Amino acid sequence: ICTFETSEYQISVIDDGYGASQDLYEIGIISKSAGEFVSLPGITEEDGIKGWLTLNDVDVILTKIASMTGEDILSVCPPQSDY
């Protein structure tokens, strides 16, 4: 449903992945330099993905990434997005 970016990461939030049947969200984090999913301890699982998240959980994760990178996170959501 939305993508966020820092200089290092592309963060994708979807509503049709793990947890979708409970109206929850999934987040995936891709390393821009490696071009593949990346595991961030305390944030994602080993495969770079974490599911079954509420919108509050997604906000907490984005805040952690911003704190970790020292950057603001740029939202590149489509205008019709609910997020």
Short mmCIF file of all heavy atoms in Angstrom, two decimals, residues 4-52:
data_model
loop_
_atom_site.label_atom_id
_atom_site.label_comp_id
_atom_site.label_asym_id
_atom_site.label_seq_id
_atom_site.Cartn_x
_atom_site.Cartn_y
_atom_site.Cartn_z
N PHE A 4 8.35 3.46 1.67
CA PHE A 4 9.10 4.51 2.35
C PHE A 4 10.57 4.30 2.00
O PHE A 4 10.98 3.20 1.68
CB PHE A 4 8.91 4.41 3.87
CG PHE A 4 7.48 4.52 4.30
CD1 PHE A 4 6.68 3.40 4.40
CD2 PHE A 4 6.93 5.75 4.60
CE1 PHE A 4 5.36 3.48 4.79
CE2 PHE A 4 5.60 5.86 4.99
CZ PHE A 4 4.82 4.73 5.09
N GLU A 5 11.35 5.39 2.08
CA GLU A 5 12.76 5.28 1.73
C GLU A 5 13.66 6.07 2.66
O GLU A 5 13.27 7.11 3.18
CB GLU A 5 12.99 5.77 0.30
CG GLU A 5 12.33 4.91 -0.74
CD GLU A 5 12.70 5.31 -2.17
OE1 GLU A 5 13.38 6.33 -2.36
OE2 GLU A 5 12.32 4.57 -3.08
N THR A 6 14.87 5.54 2.83
CA THR A 6 16.00 6.28 3.38
C THR A 6 17.09 6.16 2.32
O THR A 6 16.88 5.53 1.28
CB THR A 6 16.50 5.68 4.71
OG1 THR A 6 17.10 4.41 4.45
CG2 THR A 6 15.38 5.53 5.72
N SER A 7 18.25 6.70 2.58
CA SER A 7 19.33 6.57 1.60
C SER A 7 19.79 5.11 1.48
O SER A 7 20.29 4.70 0.44
CB SER A 7 20.52 7.46 1.97
OG SER A 7 21.05 7.09 3.22
N GLU A 8 19.59 4.31 2.53
CA GLU A 8 20.04 2.92 2.54
C GLU A 8 18.96 1.90 2.22
O GLU A 8 19.25 0.83 1.69
CB GLU A 8 20.57 2.55 3.93
CG GLU A 8 21.91 3.09 4.27
CD GLU A 8 22.35 2.59 5.64
OE1 GLU A 8 22.65 1.38 5.76
OE2 GLU A 8 22.36 3.39 6.58
N TYR A 9 17.71 2.20 2.59
CA TYR A 9 16.66 1.19 2.54
C TYR A 9 15.41 1.65 1.79
O TYR A 9 15.07 2.83 1.80
CB TYR A 9 16.22 0.81 3.96
CG TYR A 9 17.33 0.31 4.82
CD1 TYR A 9 17.80 1.07 5.89
CD2 TYR A 9 17.94 -0.91 4.57
CE1 TYR A 9 18.84 0.62 6.69
CE2 TYR A 9 18.98 -1.37 5.37
CZ TYR A 9 19.42 -0.59 6.42
OH TYR A 9 20.46 -1.04 7.21
N GLN A 10 14.75 0.68 1.20
CA GLN A 10 13.40 0.86 0.69
C GLN A 10 12.52 -0.01 1.57
O GLN A 10 12.80 -1.20 1.75
CB GLN A 10 13.30 0.43 -0.76
CG GLN A 10 11.91 0.59 -1.32
CD GLN A 10 11.85 0.25 -2.79
OE1 GLN A 10 12.86 0.21 -3.48
NE2 GLN A 10 10.66 -0.04 -3.26
N ILE A 11 11.49 0.58 2.14
CA ILE A 11 10.63 -0.11 3.07
C ILE A 11 9.24 -0.20 2.46
O ILE A 11 8.62 0.81 2.16
CB ILE A 11 10.57 0.64 4.42
CG1 ILE A 11 11.99 0.82 4.98
CG2 ILE A 11 9.69 -0.10 5.41
CD1 ILE A 11 12.37 2.25 5.22
N SER A 12 8.77 -1.41 2.27
CA SER A 12 7.48 -1.64 1.63
C SER A 12 6.47 -2.13 2.66
O SER A 12 6.76 -3.04 3.43
CB SER A 12 7.65 -2.69 0.53
OG SER A 12 6.42 -2.98 -0.07
N VAL A 13 5.30 -1.49 2.68
CA VAL A 13 4.22 -1.90 3.56
C VAL A 13 3.06 -2.36 2.68
O VAL A 13 2.61 -1.62 1.81
CB VAL A 13 3.76 -0.74 4.47
CG1 VAL A 13 2.61 -1.19 5.37
CG2 VAL A 13 4.92 -0.22 5.31
N ILE A 14 2.62 -3.60 2.91
CA ILE A 14 1.52 -4.14 2.11
C ILE A 14 0.40 -4.64 3.02
O ILE A 14 0.63 -4.94 4.20
CB ILE A 14 2.01 -5.27 1.17
CG1 ILE A 14 2.58 -6.45 1.95
CG2 ILE A 14 3.02 -4.72 0.16
CD1 ILE A 14 2.90 -7.67 1.09
N ASP A 15 -0.79 -4.71 2.44
CA ASP A 15 -1.93 -5.20 3.21
C ASP A 15 -2.47 -6.52 2.67
O ASP A 15 -3.56 -6.94 3.02
CB ASP A 15 -3.05 -4.15 3.26
CG ASP A 15 -3.59 -3.79 1.89
OD1 ASP A 15 -3.12 -4.34 0.87
OD2 ASP A 15 -4.50 -2.94 1.83
N ASP A 16 -1.67 -7.19 1.82
CA ASP A 16 -2.10 -8.49 1.29
C ASP A 16 -1.05 -9.57 1.52
O ASP A 16 -0.97 -10.53 0.78
CB ASP A 16 -2.46 -8.38 -0.19
CG ASP A 16 -1.30 -7.93 -1.06
OD1 ASP A 16 -0.23 -7.54 -0.52
OD2 ASP A 16 -1.44 -7.95 -2.29
N GLY A 17 -0.28 -9.41 2.58
CA GLY A 17 0.75 -10.39 2.92
C GLY A 17 0.41 -11.11 4.22
O GLY A 17 -0.76 -11.37 4.50
N TYR A 18 1.44 -11.42 5.01
CA TYR A 18 1.25 -12.10 6.29
C TYR A 18 0.37 -11.25 7.19
O TYR A 18 0.70 -10.13 7.52
CB TYR A 18 2.58 -12.35 6.99
CG TYR A 18 3.52 -13.25 6.23
CD1 TYR A 18 4.78 -12.83 5.85
CD2 TYR A 18 3.14 -14.55 5.92
CE1 TYR A 18 5.65 -13.66 5.16
CE2 TYR A 18 4.01 -15.39 5.23
CZ TYR A 18 5.25 -14.93 4.86
OH TYR A 18 6.10 -15.76 4.18
N GLY A 19 -0.78 -11.79 7.58
CA GLY A 19 -1.71 -11.10 8.46
C GLY A 19 -2.88 -10.45 7.74
O GLY A 19 -3.77 -9.89 8.37
N ALA A 20 -2.90 -10.53 6.43
CA ALA A 20 -3.96 -9.87 5.66
C ALA A 20 -5.35 -10.36 6.04
O ALA A 20 -6.29 -9.56 6.08
CB ALA A 20 -3.73 -10.08 4.17
N SER A 21 -5.48 -11.63 6.35
CA SER A 21 -6.80 -12.16 6.69
C SER A 21 -7.34 -11.58 8.00
O SER A 21 -8.53 -11.64 8.28
CB SER A 21 -6.77 -13.68 6.77
OG SER A 21 -5.90 -14.11 7.79
N GLN A 22 -6.46 -10.97 8.81
CA GLN A 22 -6.87 -10.31 10.05
C GLN A 22 -6.81 -8.79 9.91
O GLN A 22 -6.76 -8.06 10.91
CB GLN A 22 -5.99 -10.74 11.22
CG GLN A 22 -6.16 -12.18 11.63
CD GLN A 22 -5.17 -13.11 10.93
OE1 GLN A 22 -4.16 -12.69 10.39
NE2 GLN A 22 -5.48 -14.39 10.93
N ASP A 23 -6.77 -8.29 8.65
CA ASP A 23 -6.66 -6.84 8.37
C ASP A 23 -5.40 -6.23 8.97
O ASP A 23 -5.41 -5.11 9.46
CB ASP A 23 -7.91 -6.08 8.85
CG ASP A 23 -9.14 -6.45 8.06
OD1 ASP A 23 -9.02 -6.72 6.84
OD2 ASP A 23 -10.23 -6.47 8.66
N LEU A 24 -4.30 -7.01 8.93
CA LEU A 24 -3.02 -6.54 9.42
C LEU A 24 -2.07 -6.34 8.24
O LEU A 24 -2.40 -6.63 7.10
CB LEU A 24 -2.45 -7.54 10.44
CG LEU A 24 -3.30 -7.71 11.69
CD1 LEU A 24 -2.74 -8.84 12.56
CD2 LEU A 24 -3.40 -6.42 12.48
N TYR A 25 -0.88 -5.84 8.52
CA TYR A 25 0.06 -5.43 7.49
C TYR A 25 1.36 -6.23 7.56
O TYR A 25 1.68 -6.82 8.59
CB TYR A 25 0.37 -3.93 7.64
CG TYR A 25 -0.87 -3.09 7.50
CD1 TYR A 25 -1.67 -2.82 8.61
CD2 TYR A 25 -1.27 -2.61 6.27
CE1 TYR A 25 -2.83 -2.08 8.49
CE2 TYR A 25 -2.44 -1.87 6.14
CZ TYR A 25 -3.21 -1.62 7.26
OH TYR A 25 -4.36 -0.89 7.12
N GLU A 26 2.09 -6.16 6.48
CA GLU A 26 3.41 -6.79 6.38
C GLU A 26 4.38 -5.72 5.92
O GLU A 26 4.06 -4.88 5.09
CB GLU A 26 3.36 -7.91 5.35
CG GLU A 26 4.71 -8.59 5.12
CD GLU A 26 4.62 -9.61 4.00
OE1 GLU A 26 3.88 -10.60 4.16
OE2 GLU A 26 5.29 -9.41 2.97
N ILE A 27 5.58 -5.77 6.47
CA ILE A 27 6.63 -4.83 6.08
C ILE A 27 7.82 -5.62 5.57
O ILE A 27 8.14 -6.69 6.09
CB ILE A 27 7.01 -3.90 7.27
CG1 ILE A 27 7.83 -2.71 6.80
CG2 ILE A 27 7.71 -4.67 8.37
CD1 ILE A 27 7.96 -1.62 7.85
N GLY A 28 8.43 -5.12 4.51
CA GLY A 28 9.64 -5.72 3.96
C GLY A 28 10.68 -4.64 3.78
O GLY A 28 10.35 -3.52 3.36
N ILE A 29 11.92 -4.94 4.10
CA ILE A 29 12.99 -3.95 4.01
C ILE A 29 14.04 -4.44 3.02
O ILE A 29 14.59 -5.53 3.17
CB ILE A 29 13.61 -3.68 5.39
CG1 ILE A 29 12.50 -3.21 6.34
CG2 ILE A 29 14.74 -2.67 5.28
CD1 ILE A 29 12.91 -3.04 7.75
N ILE A 30 14.29 -3.61 2.02
CA ILE A 30 15.24 -3.95 0.96
C ILE A 30 16.43 -3.01 1.05
O ILE A 30 16.28 -1.79 1.15
CB ILE A 30 14.57 -3.82 -0.42
CG1 ILE A 30 13.39 -4.79 -0.51
CG2 ILE A 30 15.57 -4.06 -1.55
CD1 ILE A 30 12.50 -4.58 -1.70
N SER A 31 17.62 -3.58 1.01
CA SER A 31 18.85 -2.79 0.95
C SER A 31 18.98 -2.24 -0.46
O SER A 31 18.96 -2.99 -1.44
CB SER A 31 20.05 -3.68 1.27
OG SER A 31 21.25 -3.04 0.91
N LYS A 32 19.12 -0.92 -0.58
CA LYS A 32 19.27 -0.33 -1.90
C LYS A 32 20.58 -0.76 -2.56
O LYS A 32 20.62 -0.98 -3.76
CB LYS A 32 19.19 1.19 -1.81
CG LYS A 32 17.80 1.71 -1.56
CD LYS A 32 17.82 3.23 -1.57
CE LYS A 32 16.44 3.81 -1.47
NZ LYS A 32 16.50 5.28 -1.48
N SER A 33 21.64 -0.89 -1.77
CA SER A 33 22.93 -1.24 -2.36
C SER A 33 22.98 -2.70 -2.80
O SER A 33 23.56 -3.01 -3.84
CB SER A 33 24.07 -0.96 -1.37
OG SER A 33 23.91 -1.72 -0.20
N ALA A 34 22.36 -3.59 -2.03
CA ALA A 34 22.39 -5.02 -2.38
C ALA A 34 21.23 -5.42 -3.27
O ALA A 34 21.29 -6.44 -3.95
CB ALA A 34 22.38 -5.87 -1.11
N GLY A 35 20.14 -4.64 -3.24
CA GLY A 35 18.97 -4.96 -4.04
C GLY A 35 18.21 -6.18 -3.59
O GLY A 35 17.52 -6.83 -4.36
N GLU A 36 18.33 -6.50 -2.30
CA GLU A 36 17.61 -7.67 -1.77
C GLU A 36 17.14 -7.38 -0.35
O GLU A 36 17.59 -6.43 0.29
CB GLU A 36 18.49 -8.90 -1.80
CG GLU A 36 19.79 -8.77 -1.06
CD GLU A 36 20.72 -9.96 -1.29
OE1 GLU A 36 20.82 -10.46 -2.42
OE2 GLU A 36 21.35 -10.37 -0.31
N PHE A 37 16.22 -8.23 0.12
CA PHE A 37 15.72 -8.07 1.47
C PHE A 37 16.86 -8.18 2.46
O PHE A 37 17.79 -8.96 2.27
CB PHE A 37 14.64 -9.12 1.79
CG PHE A 37 13.34 -8.85 1.11
CD1 PHE A 37 13.01 -9.50 -0.06
CD2 PHE A 37 12.44 -7.92 1.63
CE1 PHE A 37 11.80 -9.25 -0.70
CE2 PHE A 37 11.24 -7.66 0.99
CZ PHE A 37 10.91 -8.32 -0.17
N VAL A 38 16.76 -7.39 3.54
CA VAL A 38 17.81 -7.36 4.54
C VAL A 38 17.19 -7.55 5.92
O VAL A 38 16.12 -7.02 6.21
CB VAL A 38 18.62 -6.05 4.46
CG1 VAL A 38 17.76 -4.84 4.71
CG2 VAL A 38 19.79 -6.06 5.41
N SER A 39 17.85 -8.34 6.74
CA SER A 39 17.42 -8.57 8.11
C SER A 39 17.95 -7.44 9.00
O SER A 39 19.14 -7.13 8.96
CB SER A 39 17.95 -9.91 8.61
OG SER A 39 17.66 -10.06 9.97
N LEU A 40 17.05 -6.83 9.75
CA LEU A 40 17.44 -5.81 10.72
C LEU A 40 17.04 -6.33 12.10
O LEU A 40 15.85 -6.36 12.43
CB LEU A 40 16.76 -4.48 10.42
CG LEU A 40 17.08 -3.84 9.08
CD1 LEU A 40 16.28 -2.56 8.89
CD2 LEU A 40 18.56 -3.56 8.94
N PRO A 41 18.01 -6.78 12.90
CA PRO A 41 17.70 -7.36 14.21
C PRO A 41 16.82 -6.43 15.05
O PRO A 41 17.05 -5.23 15.12
CB PRO A 41 19.08 -7.55 14.85
CG PRO A 41 20.01 -7.69 13.68
CD PRO A 41 19.44 -6.76 12.63
N GLY A 42 15.79 -7.02 15.64
CA GLY A 42 14.85 -6.25 16.45
C GLY A 42 13.79 -5.54 15.63
O GLY A 42 12.89 -4.91 16.18
N ILE A 43 13.90 -5.63 14.29
CA ILE A 43 12.93 -4.97 13.42
C ILE A 43 12.24 -5.97 12.50
O ILE A 43 11.03 -6.02 12.43
CB ILE A 43 13.59 -3.84 12.60
CG1 ILE A 43 14.13 -2.76 13.55
CG2 ILE A 43 12.61 -3.26 11.60
CD1 ILE A 43 14.89 -1.65 12.88
N THR A 44 13.03 -6.78 11.80
CA THR A 44 12.45 -7.78 10.89
C THR A 44 12.93 -9.17 11.26
O THR A 44 13.84 -9.33 12.08
CB THR A 44 12.85 -7.52 9.42
OG1 THR A 44 14.26 -7.68 9.30
CG2 THR A 44 12.41 -6.15 8.94
N GLU A 45 12.34 -10.14 10.61
CA GLU A 45 12.80 -11.51 10.76
C GLU A 45 14.05 -11.69 9.89
O GLU A 45 14.48 -10.77 9.20
CB GLU A 45 11.69 -12.48 10.31
CG GLU A 45 10.36 -12.28 11.02
CD GLU A 45 10.44 -12.48 12.53
OE1 GLU A 45 11.26 -13.30 13.00
OE2 GLU A 45 9.67 -11.82 13.24
N GLU A 46 14.63 -12.88 9.88
CA GLU A 46 15.86 -13.15 9.12
C GLU A 46 15.70 -12.90 7.62
O GLU A 46 16.66 -12.60 6.93
CB GLU A 46 16.34 -14.57 9.35
CG GLU A 46 16.93 -14.77 10.74
CD GLU A 46 17.48 -16.17 10.93
OE1 GLU A 46 17.84 -16.84 9.95
OE2 GLU A 46 17.55 -16.59 12.09
N ASP A 47 14.46 -13.04 7.12
CA ASP A 47 14.24 -12.86 5.68
C ASP A 47 13.96 -11.42 5.29
O ASP A 47 13.68 -11.12 4.13
CB ASP A 47 13.11 -13.77 5.20
CG ASP A 47 11.77 -13.49 5.87
OD1 ASP A 47 11.69 -12.58 6.72
OD2 ASP A 47 10.81 -14.20 5.56
N GLY A 48 14.04 -10.49 6.25
CA GLY A 48 13.81 -9.08 5.95
C GLY A 48 12.35 -8.69 5.92
O GLY A 48 12.00 -7.57 5.52
N ILE A 49 11.48 -9.59 6.35
CA ILE A 49 10.04 -9.36 6.32
C ILE A 49 9.46 -9.57 7.71
O ILE A 49 9.94 -10.42 8.47
CB ILE A 49 9.36 -10.33 5.33
CG1 ILE A 49 9.84 -10.04 3.91
CG2 ILE A 49 7.84 -10.25 5.41
CD1 ILE A 49 9.41 -11.05 2.89
N LYS A 50 8.44 -8.79 8.04
CA LYS A 50 7.72 -9.01 9.28
C LYS A 50 6.24 -8.76 9.02
O LYS A 50 5.88 -7.73 8.46
CB LYS A 50 8.22 -8.09 10.39
CG LYS A 50 7.59 -8.38 11.72
CD LYS A 50 8.34 -7.76 12.85
CE LYS A 50 7.70 -8.22 14.15
NZ LYS A 50 8.62 -8.16 15.24
N GLY A 51 5.43 -9.73 9.39
CA GLY A 51 4.00 -9.63 9.14
C GLY A 51 3.19 -9.52 10.41
O GLY A 51 3.73 -9.41 11.50
N TRP A 52 1.88 -9.55 10.23
CA TRP A 52 0.91 -9.47 11.31
C TRP A 52 1.11 -8.20 12.14
O TRP A 52 1.14 -8.23 13.37
CB TRP A 52 0.96 -10.73 12.19
CG TRP A 52 0.59 -11.95 11.43
CD1 TRP A 52 -0.68 -12.38 11.15
CD2 TRP A 52 1.46 -12.90 10.84
NE1 TRP A 52 -0.64 -13.53 10.41
CE2 TRP A 52 0.68 -13.88 10.20
CE3 TRP A 52 2.85 -13.02 10.75
CZ2 TRP A 52 1.21 -14.95 9.51
CZ3 TRP A 52 3.39 -14.08 10.06
CH2 TRP A 52 2.57 -15.04 9.46
#
